[in-house]
Amino acid sequence: VCSSDLADDKNTIHTPKTFSLEIEKIAFDKRCTHLEAISIYCEQMGIEPVSTAKLLTKSLKEKVEANAIDLNYLPKSAKLPM
């Protein structure tokens, strides 16, 4: 899977925006899903993933949901044919 070399201080307090940017950076740099990026972040920071729920922006929630659907963690929703 992905690995990370985060240099962030473990005591950093993130706002939803800065957390989202950090997750985007990890996902881009490590070429992994946003779901994996959150997992990497939590592992590096020594925190439980559930504690990041309040930091998820709407955009990041949508990306995580799309990752979960792609990985069959969530059921696919009906989509109109285009």
Side-chain angles (χ1 to χ4, degrees):
V1 186
C2 301
S3 63
S4 180
D5 52 359
L6 288 177
D8 279 356
D9 179 14
K10 288 190 177 192
N11 295 320
T12 300
I13 297 173
H14 286 287
T15 64
K17 183 173 182 167
T18 59
F19 176 74
S20 227
L21 291 172
E22 184 67 29
I23 298 306
E24 291 285 349
K25 182 179 184 313
I26 294 168
F28 179 80
D29 291 347
K30 303 302 175 187
R31 296 192 170 137
C32 60
T33 67
H34 292 83
L35 202 52
E36 290 171 318
I38 291 171
S39 180
I40 290 167
Y41 177 85
C42 290
E43 186 178 321
Q44 292 294 319
M45 300 301 275
I47 59 176
E48 291 295 319
V50 71
S51 67
T52 64
K54 63 186 174 289
L55 296 173
L56 296 176
T57 61
K58 182 180 178 185
S59 173
L60 189 55
K61 282 181 192 176
E62 290 170 354
K63 290 174 183 174
V64 169
E65 183 178 9
N67 292 160
I69 289 170
D70 289 345
L71 295 168
N72 294 319
Y73 294 158
L74 293 175
K76 291 183 180 1
S77 58
K79 295 183 182 178
L80 293 174
M82 298 276 172

